[in-house]
Amino acid sequence: MNGDATHLRSRNRQHINKRNGFSHSNGAVKESKDDHRCHDHDNVNLMIKKKSGMENGKINCSDKCGLFEKAYFMRWKAEDVLGVVRYHPIPCVFAACMLFFMGVEYTLRMIPASSPPFDLGFVVTLPLNRLLASRPGLNNFLAGLNTVFVGMQTAYILWTWLVEGRPRATISALFMFTCRGVLGYVTQLPVPEDFLGSGVDFPVGNVSFFLFYSGHVAASVIASVDMKRMQRWEMAWAFDALNVLQVVRLLSTRGHYTIDLVVGVGAGILFDSLAGKYLEKHAVGITASGGYSALYAM
C-alpha cells in the first residue's frame, strides 16, 4: 500500500516538474522545449547584433570596415616595406623628389610678368652664349653643321620608307610635326632676347619658328629609336651623341628653351610608339602604286 502511494507521489512530482519546465533523469536537470525556444531566441538576437555591427557591446568591423581589411596595404609587413627600398630604389627616389618639389612649388616665388623667363639651361650655357656672340663666324659654322645633321635625320627617315619599305619612322615624324605645329601655335612663347640667329641655320633665313617643342630633337630621337629597333647600334649611338651636341648648341644660341628640348625627347619616343600602334591596327603599308601590301612587324 505504502509502495503504491510512493509511486503515485513520484509520478505527480514528475508531472509537476514537466509543467514547470524541468525533468529529472539520472540526477541531472535537462532543459525542456521552452528552454530550447529561449536559446533559439537568444541566437536570433545575436545574429541581429552581428549584422548591425554590434557584439558584446562593441562595434564589429568585419562588415563596416571590410573595405580596409581587404586593402592591399593591410597585408604589408615590415620586410615588405624595407624590400621596396631595397629592390625598387628608383621609384623611391622619384617619391622623395615628388615630396621635395611639392615643397618647392609652395615656397618658390614666381617670375614677374615683366621679367624674361628663367631657364636654368640658359644659366649653365651662358659662357658659350657669350663666346658665340663674340664670334659670329663660329656661330654660323656650328649652325651649318646642325643643319647638315637635320638633313641626315630627314634623309634616314625618308630612306626607311622609300627604300626599305618601313613607314613607321615617316609616320612618326608626320605625327610629331603636326602636333608640334598645333602646340606651337596655341601657346606662342617669346623668342629670348639674346637669341643668336644664323643665315645657315634651320629653318634657313631666321624665319619665325615655333619654340615648343623642339622638332630638331624629336626627329633625331625618332631616327635613333628606329636604328636601335633595327640593331644599327653604331648609327644610333652616333645620332644620340650628335643630338646631345645639338641640344647644347640650341641652348647656347637660345634657339630653344630647356623645356622645349626635354619634351622633344619625350615626343620622339611617344610618336614612334603611336606610329607602331597605328601600323599594328591597320597592318598595311602604302606602296608606290597606291595599293596596299602586308607589313612586317616593324
Side-chain angles (χ1 to χ4, degrees), residues 16-283:
I16 293 172
N17 287 338
K18 287 182 179 180
R19 291 182 60 185
N20 290 336
F22 296 93
S23 62
H24 293 271
S25 177
N26 297 327
V29 179
K30 294 185 178 180
E31 293 178 285
S32 67
K33 294 182 180 180
D34 292 336
D35 291 316
H36 285 292
R37 285 196 295 269
C38 183
H39 281 290
D40 290 340
H41 185 266
D42 291 339
N43 291 333
V44 171
N45 289 335
L46 182 59
M47 291 176 63
I48 294 174
K49 287 182 179 181
K50 287 183 177 181
K51 289 184 177 181
S52 62
M54 294 290 295
E55 186 176 0
N56 297 328
K58 297 181 181 180
I59 297 178
N60 182 11
C61 289
S62 60
D63 294 323
K64 298 294 182 181
C65 306
L67 176 63
F68 296 100
E69 287 187 349
K70 297 178 181 179
Y72 174 65
F73 70 91
M74 293 296 292
R75 300 192 298 270
W76 288 1
K77 299 178 181 179
E79 55 268 23
D80 296 329
V81 177
L82 297 177
V84 171
V85 180
R86 179 179 179 182
Y87 297 107
H88 304 283
I90 295 179
C92 292
V93 172
F94 286 163
C97 291
M98 180 192 69
L99 296 176
F100 171 76
F101 283 111
M102 286 177 63
V104 171
E105 185 176 359
Y106 281 95
T107 57
L108 182 67
R109 297 183 61 183
M110 300 302 294
I111 301 299
S114 58
S115 300
F118 172 79
D119 193 307
L120 184 59
F122 287 7
V123 176
V124 173
T125 58
L126 182 59
L128 290 175
N129 176 262
R130 292 173 177 173
L131 174 65
L132 296 177
S134 63
R135 297 184 179 182
L138 178 61
N139 182 40
N140 291 332
F141 175 73
L142 294 178
L145 291 180
N146 204 154
T147 300
V148 172
F149 181 50
V150 173
M152 294 167 57
Q153 303 169 18
T154 306
Y156 179 83
I157 290 173
L158 292 176
W159 176 279
T160 59
W161 173 39
L162 299 176
V163 178
E164 298 180 0
R166 299 184 299 107
R168 178 167 176 168
T170 304
I171 295 175
S172 302
L174 294 176
F175 285 178
M176 181 271 292
F177 279 110
T178 300
C179 185
R180 176 180 180 270
V182 173
L183 295 179
Y185 182 80
V186 298
T187 303
Q188 300 178 27
L189 301 176
V191 178
E193 295 179 356
D194 49 354
F195 168 65
L196 301 176
S198 172
V200 294
D201 200 358
F202 182 85
V204 178
N206 286 332
V207 296
S208 59
F209 56 92
F210 297 138
L211 286 171
F212 189 83
Y213 42 85
S214 174
H216 290 72
V217 172
S220 179
V221 170
I222 289 174
S224 175
V225 169
D226 186 85
M227 293 171 183
K228 293 171 183 175
R229 185 163 48 244
M230 299 302 297
Q231 298 185 0
R232 297 167 177 168
W233 302 110
E234 293 79 6
M235 294 179 62
W237 299 130
F239 260 60
D240 289 340
L242 292 173
N243 200 12
V244 171
L245 296 176
Q246 175 178 242
V247 166
V248 174
R249 191 195 77 86
L250 290 171
L251 284 175
S252 301
T253 61
R254 309 308 191 235
H256 274 293
Y257 294 106
T258 303
I259 192 172
D260 306 331
L261 305 170
V262 174
V263 174
V265 175
I269 298 173
L270 170 64
F271 289 110
D272 176 80
S273 175
L274 291 178
K277 294 182 182 300
Y278 172 83
L279 293 176
E280 289 176 1
K281 180 178 179 180
H282 292 271

